[in-house]
Amino acid sequence: MAVSARRGQPLTIQEIYTAVLRMVGEGGVEGLSMRKLAAELDVNPMSLYHHVESKDALLRGACTAVAQGLALPPDDGTPWQEQLRALAHAYRSIALSHPALWSYVNSHPDLVEQEEGMWVVFNRVLVAAGVPAAELLRIRTVLYTFVSGLLTAEAVGLLAELDPAGDAETTFDAAVDLILDALEARAT
Amino acid sequence: MAVSARRGQPLTIQEIYTAVLRMVGEGGVEGLSMRKLAAELDVNPMSLYHHVESKDALLRGACTAVAQGLALPPDDGTPWQEQLRALAHAYRSIALSHPALWSYVNSHPDLVEQEEGMWVVFNRVLVAAGVPAAELLRIRTVLYTFVSGLLTAEAVGLLAELDPAGDAETTFDAAVDLILDALEARAT
DNA sequence: ACCTGAACACCGTTCAAGT
DNA sequence: ACCTGAACACCGTTCAAGT
């Protein structure tokens, strides 16, 4: 190339993530390549490595960037049932905002564990629900995987295939209700 | 090469699947390549295409081959609770027999839907549990995704990370119990 | 029928070089 | 500092050719 850059501006990580999310949204994670991404950004493939360590780091970064948007329910005095519902819906909305990325998250446990704010709120709500400390970790984990499994099914299209007549959101609500019922039954 | 084949025998699909499962077990699905698989089988990469249409077809075939081993509980008169537990454990044992393949299954809804025998047994048990026909599909789907989510967490190592002190099998049992409780509460 | 080699259009990433 | 080209070691798959 004649001069220094093909484009006016230097690359931004934001700019890179935006392109990643768009491309992943269109072609899935396996449709993303460093070379196509670079082409999309009108840049030499190797320029990307100045902003990102590897393709995996890039995807992980995109995931945590998306996770920033998680709207955790505040610790006002609202009943735990309501707060759990709010947490579940907030999580669903993040997960389904980029369905293709969700499967990537699911197979990278460190990304899930890393979602500290969510775990704190989850703890608080379960304690309010009367879950004893000794069972907190196990119940929290089980309930998380339940919700996570349902979201995966929705993200991947399995929900629609197994229950074509059902509406995904009401199915989600029913599932959360089921979890609430179980917690209430356990409390008594 | 001098003569026709590098090896004595012609290739078998069984032989191919066995090698696939071993390699996937060692290096995950993304560690499998047609070329490495061919090398493992001491064959030219292109020979594989005489037995299999594509890499995706190969993986799908391996998945359904594994799924053959699912030990469905028979329709003897045992209580539905016991049958549901048996179904859950049978499914778990298949899923975790090849943990790396499980994530592949999870992102391919057609593979899950295709598991007809399982859906039939699942139906039977839920009807015995008193689930009304109108809710059968939704409840079955939700419960499936719950179990599937938990198995994914176990297969990928998330379970151990979120609840390090917990034993995976007792966690699984607790989760199934929770589902049984919810079904029983609903029946009354 | 079953296998093969060469070739095509891709990958992620390293490294030395440019401005 | 930021970007680049050439190169390396890989991919899946097609196609014409071998036995």
Side-chain angles (χ1 to χ4, degrees):
Chain A
M1 282 295 103
V3 239
S4 56
R6 299 197 195 154
R7 334 162 331 125
Q9 314 284 342
L11 270 179
T12 326
I13 331 110
Q14 315 293 342
E15 199 185 353
I16 295 179
Y17 284 157
T18 309
V20 166
L21 291 178
R22 181 163 33 81
M23 292 183 69
V24 164
E26 284 164 9
V29 171
E30 70 287 299
L32 178 78
S33 83
M34 297 301 270
R35 298 171 114 109
K36 283 192 225 157
L37 174 60
E40 200 83 357
L41 290 166
D42 197 15
V43 134
N44 186 286
M46 303 319 132
S47 303
L48 293 170
Y49 287 90
H50 208 270
H51 300 86
V52 121
E53 217 180 48
S54 66
K55 188 187 181 184
D56 251 40
L58 177 62
L59 283 168
R60 285 216 316 276
C63 287
T64 66
V66 168
Q68 303 291 349
L70 183 62
L72 294 168
D75 192 5
D76 49 14
T78 57
W80 65 265
Q81 290 91 339
E82 213 171 302
Q83 290 202 37
L84 191 52
R85 259 190 262 266
L87 179 59
H89 275 95
Y91 202 69
R92 174 169 182 262
S93 123
I94 287 295
L96 299 184
S97 69
H98 300 281
L101 218 50
W102 176 246
S103 338
Y104 185 82
V105 171
N106 259 324
S107 49
H108 293 258
D110 49 310
L111 285 173
V112 176
E113 199 189 12
Q114 177 184 286
E115 218 54 44
E116 275 189 60
M118 188 207 121
W119 295 118
V120 170
V121 173
F122 209 161
N123 269 354
R124 187 226 299 155
V125 173
L126 289 181
V127 168
V131 173
E135 302 185 38
L136 190 58
L137 221 55
R138 193 185 62 217
I139 291 189
R140 191 185 71 170
T141 302
V142 167
L143 296 188
Y144 173 80
T145 64
F146 280 5
V147 171
S148 150
L150 183 52
L151 290 179
T152 302
E154 186 173 356
V156 100
L158 178 61
L159 206 59
E161 244 172 285
L162 290 183
D163 185 11
D167 169 63
E169 180 147 18
T170 68
T171 299
F172 187 79
D173 286 332
V176 173
D177 283 346
L178 196 146
I179 288 172
L180 290 180
D181 287 351
L183 281 174
E184 276 167 356
R186 201 152 273 243
T188 57
Chain B
M1 281 297 103
V3 241
S4 57
R6 300 197 195 155
R7 335 163 330 125
Q9 313 286 342
L11 271 179
T12 326
I13 332 110
Q14 315 294 342
E15 199 184 353
I16 296 179
Y17 284 157
T18 309
V20 166
L21 291 178
R22 181 164 33 81
M23 291 183 70
V24 164
E26 283 164 10
V29 171
E30 71 287 297
L32 177 78
S33 84
M34 297 301 270
R35 297 171 113 111
K36 283 192 225 156
L37 174 61
E40 200 83 356
L41 290 166
D42 197 16
V43 133
N44 185 286
M46 304 317 133
S47 303
L48 293 169
Y49 287 92
H50 209 271
H51 300 87
V52 121
E53 217 180 49
S54 65
K55 189 187 182 185
D56 252 41
L58 177 63
L59 283 168
R60 286 217 313 278
C63 287
T64 67
V66 168
Q68 304 289 349
L70 183 62
L72 294 167
D75 191 6
D76 49 13
T78 56
W80 65 265
Q81 291 91 339
E82 213 169 302
Q83 291 202 36
L84 190 51
R85 260 190 261 266
L87 179 59
H89 275 95
Y91 201 68
R92 175 169 182 261
S93 123
I94 287 295
L96 298 184
S97 68
H98 300 280
L101 219 49
W102 176 246
S103 339
Y104 185 82
V105 171
N106 259 324
S107 49
H108 292 259
D110 50 309
L111 284 173
V112 176
E113 199 189 12
Q114 177 183 289
E115 218 53 45
E116 275 189 59
M118 188 207 119
W119 296 117
V120 170
V121 173
F122 209 162
N123 270 354
R124 188 227 299 155
V125 174
L126 289 181
V127 168
V131 173
E135 302 185 37
L136 190 59
L137 221 55
R138 194 186 60 218
I139 292 189
R140 192 185 69 171
T141 303
V142 167
L143 296 187
Y144 172 79
T145 64
F146 280 6
V147 172
S148 150
L150 183 53
L151 290 178
T152 302
E154 186 173 357
V156 100
L158 178 60
L159 205 60
E161 245 172 286
L162 290 183
D163 185 11
D167 170 62
E169 181 147 18
T170 69
T171 299
F172 187 78
D173 286 331
V176 173
D177 283 346
L178 196 146
I179 288 173
L180 290 180
D181 288 350
L183 281 174
E184 276 166 357
R186 204 153 270 242
T188 57

